[in-house]
C-alpha cells in the first residue's frame, strides 16, 4: 500500500497512538488503513457418497483439483458464500449442512471455512474458473493433484469422520512451512 | 474508496471482465481493489461459572457491556485473536476451548466468532478500551446494557447449552433490521 484511498496522499507505516500494530497511516489526512484476514469459503458437496471437485482454470495451481471455494464477498453470509462458490465454480446447487472445518492460514492472512453440503440433483458443470468438474468416490480422490493443503486436510478429516459415522467440527492452523 | 492504493490515481466503480461484482478499479494502472468481510473474534471466558464482561471505553456503544472481542489481525490465527483480545480488553489469560458461535452480520460486512474459554487465574482488569471488567453469574448478566446483539445472542446460546449440560456449535445470520 502506497497511497491513501480517501485523499490520494502517500501513506507511512507507523504505530498509531493507543495502538500496538504497525499500520498504513495517511501523511496528509491521518486516515488509518487497517488490513485484516480474508475468509475463503467452500463446500464439500456429496452426491451418492461421491464428492464434487473442480479442476482449476486459473492461477494459482492451474490444472489442480480443488473443492469449490473462494473469497467471501461483502454483503453475504458464510453459507451464502458457500452456495455461491459451488454454483459459480461447479454449476451445482447444494443444500448446505453444518460448518465442517476452519483452517487458519496466518502466513497468507486467510481463514478457510468448509461446509458440508448435498447436491440437490446430479447436475453440475465447469464454471468459468474451472476446466472440468467431476464427482469422485473416496478411493478415486486425486490426492497428489489437489491444489491446496487446506483442501486435502479437510477431505481427510471428512472421510475419517464419515467412516466413523459422525461428523464433528474440525479446527486447524497451518504453519508457514506448509503450503496453502 | 476514492484513490488507488498502488499508484494514487482515481478509482471508478465497475464490473471487471470475467467478474460479476462491482469493484473499485484504478483508472490509471487497472488495479482491482477487492473488499471483503472482516472477522471479529471474541471469547466467553469463565471463572467458577461466572462470565467475564468488559464495559466499553470506546465508541460505538461507549459504556455498554460486551464480551472481550475485536478485529482479527493479519498474521494471527482465530484462537490467537481470541487470546489477544481477552488479554488486551480484560487483562486476562484464558485457555481457549472450542469455537462456540459464528454470527454473520452481512449488512456491516462482518463475521463474529466466539470461542469458549477458561480463565487460568481470577486475575483480570480493564484494558485501554474498557472502563471496567467484571465477572457476572448468569442471573447477573446486564442484558439490557449489552453493547451488541451478537454478544447477547451468543450468551443466550451459551447459558442454554450449559443448562443442558452440553455445548454445541451455533451459527446465525443477523438481518439488516437487527442491530449489530
Amino acid at each position: 500500500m502506497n497511497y491513501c484511498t480517501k485523499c490520494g496522499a502517500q501513506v507511512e507505516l507507523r504505530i498509531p497512538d493507543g495502538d500496538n500494530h504497525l499500520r498504513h497511516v495517511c501523511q496528509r489526512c491521518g486516515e488509518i488503513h487497517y488490513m485484516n484476514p480474508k475468509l475463503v469459503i467452500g463446500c464439500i458437496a456429496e452426491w451418492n457418497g461421491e464428492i464434487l471437485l473442480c479442476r482449476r482454470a486459473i492461477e494459482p495451481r492451474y490444472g489442480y483439483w480443488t473443492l469449490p471455494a473462494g473469497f467471501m464477498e461483502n454483503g453475504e453470509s458464510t453459507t451464502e458464500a458457500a452456495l455461491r462458490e459451488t454454483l459459480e465454480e461447479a454449476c451445482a446447487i447444494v443444500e448446505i449442512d453444518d460448518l465442517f472445518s476452519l483452517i487458519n492460514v496466518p502466513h497468507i492472512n486467510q481463514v478457510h471455512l468448509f461446509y458440508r453440503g448435498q447436491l440437490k440433483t446430479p447436475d453440475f458443470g465447469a464454471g468459468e474458473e474451472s476446466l472440468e468438474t467431476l464427482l469422485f468416490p473416496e478411493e478415486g480422490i486425486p490426492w497428489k493433484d489437489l491444489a491446496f493443503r487446506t483442501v486435502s486436510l479437510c477431505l481427510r478429516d471428512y472421510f475419517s469422520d464419515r467412516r466413523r459415522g459422525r461428523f464433528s467440527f474440525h479446527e486447524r492452523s497451518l504453519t508457514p512451512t506448509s503450503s496453502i
Side-chain angles (χ1 to χ4, degrees), chain A:
Chain A
M1 178 171 203
N2 305 312
Y3 298 94
C4 175
T5 54
K6 202 169 160 188
C7 81
Q10 282 196 313
V11 294
E12 59 179 344
L13 262 182
R14 64 177 176 83
I15 300 176
D17 294 344
D19 200 338
N20 48 21
H21 283 75
L22 276 174
R23 312 283 181 191
H24 291 91
V25 182
C26 180
Q27 293 184 348
R28 183 161 60 199
C29 76
E31 182 78 6
I32 303 167
H33 299 279
Y34 297 94
M35 291 180 186
N36 304 89
K38 289 184 197 294
L39 280 159
V40 170
I41 303 191
C43 183
I44 315 153
E46 255 199 30
W47 175 261
N48 282 346
E50 298 193 330
I51 306 295
L52 199 64
L53 296 182
C54 305
R55 201 152 71 84
R56 288 172 66 81
I58 51 168
E59 294 294 350
R61 306 291 277 155
Y62 179 99
Y64 286 82
W65 292 92
T66 186
L67 290 165
F71 288 107
M72 184 181 178
E73 298 279 359
N74 276 354
E76 67 185 1
S77 70
T78 46
T79 50
E80 284 166 351
L83 280 169
R84 179 184 50 73
E85 289 292 343
T86 311
L87 185 61
E88 285 179 5
E89 299 192 350
C91 306
I93 296 172
V94 284
E95 201 146 295
I96 298 287
D97 294 330
D98 290 339
L99 182 62
F100 177 70
S101 180
L102 182 158
I103 308 181
N104 284 285
V105 199
H107 51 288
I108 53 165
N109 308 316
Q110 291 181 3
V111 178
H112 292 205
L113 300 184
F114 295 97
Y115 282 86
R116 290 188 297 109
Q118 300 292 328
L119 284 175
K120 286 192 171 177
T121 66
D123 300 308
F124 55 85
E128 278 198 17
E129 298 184 355
S130 306
L131 296 169
E132 58 180 320
T133 296
L134 286 172
L135 284 168
F136 290 88
E138 179 178 354
E139 59 278 15
I141 297 286
W143 293 106
K144 287 185 181 165
D145 291 324
L146 290 180
F148 305 112
R149 194 161 150 72
T150 57
V151 168
S152 133
L153 289 167
C154 174
L155 284 172
R156 287 192 192 283
D157 287 337
Y158 186 85
F159 292 124
S160 162
D161 274 19
R162 199 171 69 170
R163 280 193 297 272
R164 216 179 35 154
R166 194 173 69 83
F167 288 109
S168 56
F169 172 71
H170 297 259
E171 179 168 332
R172 292 171 173 276
S173 281
L174 299 194
T175 58
T177 48
S178 316
S179 61
I180 300 176

